[in-house]
Amino acid sequence: MKLILPVEIAHEIEPHLPENTTVVRVDSEGNIDGDATDAEIYFSWFYLQQNTLHRVLDAAPLLRWHHAPNAGVNHILTPKYLERDLILTNGAGVHGIPIAEFVITYLLAYSKRLPSLYKLQNQHNWQRGLPIQELFDKTLLIIGAGGIGQEIAVRAKAFGMRIFGSCRHPEPLPNFDKVVGANKWKELLPEADFVVISTPLTAETKGMIDVETLGLFRTDSYLINIARGAIVDESALATALQEGWIAGAALDTVFTEPLPAQSPLWTLPNVFITPHCSGNSPRVKERTLALFLDNFNRYCQGKSLRNVVDKTAGY
């Protein structure tokens, strides 16, 4: 059996493979260091470019299974890719813990007024009386109650928050007080103090946080996006933030990354921008490799793979 592995981590994977496997390596440009015409498996790496993906597809006509380390695969599902009958698995779950911790950071930074407190410290200003709030008894709406959403709920529930969620197939979930269908979350906005976007980017979710939707938010609600920037209409969001339709936003992802210097989001006082780093952790690689190796063993034994992507749904 032959595998195509990224040069960045091939040396960490190869010692765990059976002796009867052959590895060819591919770099970030799609250059392959051997013959991939009979390769069955492709393990891509983070920040996969479409031209790299397409070069691998051209070089490996017998490819059967592709594992991507990301949870989001919208950048992979190109027309050329969808022409191939490939099993696609993703890294759903490997980023859940660090992203959930980051969401708690956003919640606390806003509720405890940390930016203002840092500013006062820099000014040597012992000012009291800031409107500091508790998370206890606040309502958190998680749009996308999948793996990441559930990790967020575990941690938010520990603060005594009320947790609402939405997903494609709603069912009772641990730590959630209410779970609704994917098209019902707008009905919960009047009750939400905080709204977290953790849904995949698909044709249905692209631009779904638009002018109309933002008009349904409470004026004291706070939006957090740790999913994909294209889910939010940025022009509408900037207007909502400037005109007070919502209280503020924490954005770890934006439509164009890096965020252009001329974007008004940089200078709005009620926006907390982070450079798409909420999923960063030294343990992500460890979890990613473990997931791939577990799936590789399943593949060799003819068992069902974990995290198979529904390419029609997009996740």
Side-chain angles (χ1 to χ4, degrees), residues 87-114:
I87 300 168
L88 173 61
T89 56
N90 68 1
V94 302
H95 297 91
I97 291 173
I99 289 178
E101 291 178 354
F102 231 97
V103 168
I104 297 300
T105 300
Y106 295 134
L107 295 174
L108 290 171
Y110 176 72
S111 298
K112 304 305 180 183
R113 298 295 188 263
L114 295 188

Side-chain angles (χ1 to χ4, degrees), residues 187-309:
E187 299 173 9
L188 302 177
L189 288 174
E191 301 180 64
D193 297 285
F194 298 92
V195 179
V196 174
I197 304 170
S198 63
T199 189
L201 175 61
T202 67
E204 289 73 30
T205 63
K206 185 176 182 180
M208 72 179 187
I209 307 297
D210 55 13
V211 169
E212 179 184 356
T213 302
L214 287 164
L216 300 175
F217 278 63
R218 285 174 18 190
T219 57
D220 62 347
S221 63
Y222 192 79
L223 175 67
I224 298 171
N225 187 7
I226 47 79
R228 289 292 184 269
I231 295 172
V232 178
D233 179 334
E234 272 182 23
S235 176
L237 177 61
T239 299
L241 291 162
Q242 289 167 329
E243 298 185 0
W245 302 1
I246 63 175
L251 307 174
D252 189 50
T253 181
V254 290
F255 187 84
T256 300
E257 297 185 4
L259 182 65
Q262 66 272 22
S263 170
L265 296 174
W266 279 117
T267 54
L268 291 176
N270 52 350
V271 179
F272 184 6
I273 294 173
T274 54
H276 207 149
C277 61
S278 64
N280 292 6
S281 164
R283 299 201 62 183
V284 166
K285 180 192 280 190
E286 169 191 329
R287 297 184 185 111
T288 299
L289 301 188
L291 173 59
F292 173 75
L293 288 170
D294 179 59
N295 260 349
F296 176 76
N297 290 329
R298 289 168 177 262
Y299 181 88
C300 293
Q301 296 170 23
K303 296 181 179 179
S304 298
L305 303 184
R306 296 164 56 192
N307 289 8
V308 174
V309 172

Side-chain angles (χ1 to χ4, degrees), residues 1-4 22 24 34-41 59-64 299:
M1 185 179 303
K2 184 174 288 187
L3 293 75
I4 304 172
T22 303
V24 292
D35 179 12
T37 55
D38 56 345
E40 290 185 38
I41 301 168
L62 301 183
L63 205 62
R64 297 181 59 197
Y299 181 88

Side-chain angles (χ1 to χ4, degrees), residues 63-213:
L63 205 62
R64 297 181 59 197
W65 166 39
H66 172 204
H67 180 76
N70 318 74
V73 294
N74 55 288
H75 62 299
I76 290 173
L77 299 176
T78 66
K80 180 169 183 171
Y81 189 91
L82 293 173
E83 290 174 358
R84 301 282 290 269
D85 185 22
L86 298 177
I87 300 168
L88 173 61
T89 56
N90 68 1
V94 302
H95 297 91
I97 291 173
I99 289 178
E101 291 178 354
F102 231 97
V103 168
I104 297 300
T105 300
Y106 295 134
L107 295 174
L108 290 171
Y110 176 72
S111 298
K112 304 305 180 183
R113 298 295 188 263
L114 295 188
S116 296
L117 291 170
Y118 284 134
K119 184 177 180 179
L120 291 173
Q121 179 181 348
N122 289 334
Q123 296 172 343
H124 299 189
N125 185 352
W126 186 272
Q127 177 183 326
R128 304 189 68 183
L130 291 178
I132 293 173
Q133 303 178 44
E134 296 180 358
L135 294 180
F136 179 78
D137 212 28
K138 292 291 194 295
T139 298
L140 172 63
L141 170 59
I142 302 173
I143 304 173
I148 292 173
Q150 291 174 43
E151 292 286 357
I152 294 168
V154 170
R155 288 153 182 80
K157 182 57 72 173
F159 284 88
M161 301 187 77
R162 185 182 303 106
I163 316 294
F164 296 162
S166 69
C167 58
R168 185 166 49 153
H169 303 295
E171 61 180 356
L173 292 171
N175 302 299
F176 283 83
D177 297 278
K178 183 185 297 185
V179 180
V180 300
N183 59 342
K184 295 289 186 180
W185 56 268
K186 290 183 182 181
E187 299 173 9
L188 302 177
L189 288 174
E191 301 180 64
D193 297 285
F194 298 92
V195 179
V196 174
I197 304 170
S198 63
T199 189
L201 175 61
T202 67
E204 289 73 30
T205 63
K206 185 176 182 180
M208 72 179 187
I209 307 297
D210 55 13
V211 169
E212 179 184 356
T213 302

